[in-house]
Amino acid sequence: ASPAEEEQKTKLRFLVGAGSSEGAAFVPVPQATRLYLPLLAAGKREEARVLLRRVDFSSLGKDVLEHMPVLLSAAVQMEDGSLALSIGRHWIRTLIKTDKQGRQYWSVSPMITRIGTLIEKDKFRSLCQYVISLILQDIEKAGNWLNLIPMLQAHFEEPLLDKEQVSDLLEKVDGNRWYWVGSFFALVRDRDRPAALRKILPKVPKTRRMQFLLSLLEQIQDDIGPDFADFIAESFDAAVGDLDQKDQYVWYQFLNIANNDKNMELRLRLAKIPLERGIKNDLVRAAYAVMLNKMERTEEALKDALEVYGNIIGKPQTDFHANMARQMITGAFLPEHTDAFLAHL
């Protein structure tokens, strides 16, 4: 019989309920996606479940990847955790194997999260560790798949990687990919972070270290201990001296620094360093005043805010730093301190 005839026979067997008989052949992935919806539409939910359990995952390649999210969604829709786990493992393994650059890493995280809602916590943790093990088989060639690791870690308080695995990961980081390394510090216990930073910081170009440290501060969501805070501040001070001040992007990072309340003492400490070095950037000055205000050091904050506002009030609209600083100041201090601003003008 031709392939078309065989597919029609398979379809008919499932549609009439005979697909659940013992010894039925495995169904190719593309064929399974075509058979699933008619079964569901016909109200044959159990036959649809049997179909999904008989999908042939033995030889997955790029040609069938487009079908895998459909099958996984079907298992999730039926709230079948074991089936979703099985399909998910096959799909993710094939995707990591075929997408060498990890361009589709962003699509995997929500799928894993959906599977996690259907299975026990320990099985979900095992799935995440399995995915990480696939990524770490060749760290140097893992590409964007490495971005998936911190996303998976976010589901758990206990680290998914042990200290040696994290150390090995940071050791093998390509210096040209320093910009995503900060997210891995979520995998490192606070007491081990100074040592980890000492490993990676020399790989970051000197003119980019200030940017790296600011990004690192944004990517760490837990409390930073005093030893690591001191090391970050010392490293930041040295980095400010090596900064290419024509690099505009680094100053815009101070918007994020001021808008996040986590580890505020350290954020304030870092913002003060360039000011003490004589760098009178409007964004940094505005960020410093806003953070002082958040810490209820109102008198200092208002004094600095008025100085910054007085400096930027006459600057043209084409001065983006001045415009952003103006928005930061007015957003934080008005209308509560309107009279002080009017008196200052």
Side-chain angles (χ1 to χ4, degrees):
S2 68
E5 291 172 335
E6 286 298 326
E7 179 171 342
Q8 185 63 23
K9 289 179 181 178
T10 303
K11 180 176 181 180
L12 288 171
R13 283 199 303 272
F14 276 103
L15 287 175
V16 300
S20 58
S21 60
E22 293 297 326
F26 284 103
V27 183
V29 170
Q31 188 176 352
T33 58
R34 290 192 293 270
L35 292 172
Y36 171 74
L37 287 177
L39 286 170
L40 207 60
K44 298 181 179 294
R45 191 177 181 88
E46 190 55 39
E47 284 83 350
R49 192 188 307 274
V50 171
L51 169 67
L52 293 179
R53 292 192 180 281
R54 289 188 178 148
V55 176
D56 182 9
F57 296 116
S58 61
S59 57
L60 295 180
K62 286 184 178 181
D63 57 324
V64 298
L65 276 175
E66 64 181 286
H67 299 280
M68 296 300 287
V70 177
L71 297 180
L72 181 55
S73 295
V76 171
Q77 184 182 11
M78 289 191 290
E79 299 184 344
D80 191 322
S82 62
L83 190 53
L85 178 59
S86 175
I87 294 174
R89 284 171 64 94
H90 287 298
W91 173 52
I92 295 167
R93 184 185 70 243
T94 305
L95 196 57
I96 292 175
K97 182 180 178 181
T98 55
D99 181 9
K100 299 296 185 183
Q101 298 301 314
R103 295 185 181 92
Q104 299 184 65
Y105 80 90
W106 54 271
S107 68
V108 173
S109 181
M111 282 295 190
I112 292 177
T113 301
R114 290 176 70 185
I115 295 171
T117 64
L118 300 174
I119 59 178
E120 294 86 352
K121 191 73 172 180
D122 60 334
K123 290 184 178 179
F124 182 45
R125 181 180 178 85
S126 295
L127 172 63
C128 292
Q129 289 178 318
Y130 170 70
V131 174
I132 290 175
S133 71
L134 295 175
I135 295 171
L136 296 184
Q137 284 179 358
D138 192 343
I139 295 175
E140 289 88 345
K141 297 181 180 179
N144 288 322
W145 287 117
L146 291 168
N147 294 321
L148 186 59
I149 298 178
M151 294 180 180
L152 300 181
Q153 179 61 63
H155 293 287
F156 305 93
E157 292 185 5
E158 287 298 311
L160 291 171
L161 298 177
D162 60 34
K163 181 179 177 181
E164 288 70 27
Q165 287 176 305
V166 175
S167 178
D168 185 51
L169 180 60
L170 294 175
E171 193 75 49
K172 294 180 179 178
V173 165
D174 183 345
N176 295 322
R177 296 175 61 83
W178 58 269
Y179 46 84
W180 52 256
V181 172
S183 60
F184 287 101
F185 277 79
L187 309 175
V188 184
R189 296 182 187 276
D190 188 77
R191 63 176 179 270
D192 299 321
R193 285 172 175 167
L197 186 56
R198 286 188 182 93
K199 283 187 176 182
I200 192 60
L201 198 58
K203 298 182 180 183
V204 181
K206 284 187 175 183
T207 57
R208 291 284 185 264
R209 289 179 186 173
M210 182 174 168
Q211 182 179 337
F212 169 76
L213 291 166
L214 290 174
S215 297
L216 178 64
L217 188 55
E218 290 305 296
Q219 291 164 327
I220 295 177
Q221 298 302 312
D222 54 341
D223 292 327
I224 294 176
D227 291 342
F228 191 41
D230 288 345
F231 187 67
I232 289 177
E234 292 166 8
S235 302
F236 191 80
D237 187 35
V240 171
D242 294 323
L243 178 69
D244 177 3
Q245 293 193 34
K246 294 180 181 179
D247 179 9
Q248 297 298 306
Y249 176 75
V250 70
W251 303 119
Y252 287 108
Q253 286 182 278
F254 280 89
L255 293 171
N256 295 330
I257 292 297
N259 288 333
N260 194 322
D261 295 340
K262 198 71 176 177
N263 297 301
M264 184 58 73
E265 287 281 0
L266 178 56
R267 291 169 184 273
L268 186 70
R269 187 175 173 185
L270 297 189
K272 189 175 182 179
I273 290 173
L275 300 179
E276 290 179 333
R277 282 178 165 265
I279 298 175
K280 300 299 182 182
N281 181 275
D282 292 328
L283 278 177
V284 181
R285 296 176 68 194
Y288 187 71
V290 169
M291 286 188 285
L292 282 173
N293 192 49
K294 285 185 175 183
M295 297 180 69
E296 299 183 352
R297 293 165 59 176
T298 309
E299 186 175 342
E300 295 175 75
L302 186 57
K303 177 178 179 295
D304 283 6
L306 291 172
E307 288 182 6
V308 175
Y309 196 75
N311 183 58
I312 63 180
I313 194 65
K315 291 188 176 181
Q317 292 295 317
T318 52
D319 189 327
F320 293 108
H321 282 193
N323 286 337
M324 296 305 298
R326 186 182 298 112
Q327 291 178 31
M328 292 176 69
I329 292 296
T330 56
F333 292 91
L334 299 181
E336 184 178 356
H337 299 288
T338 301
D339 291 344
F341 276 82
L342 290 174
H344 191 74
L345 296 177

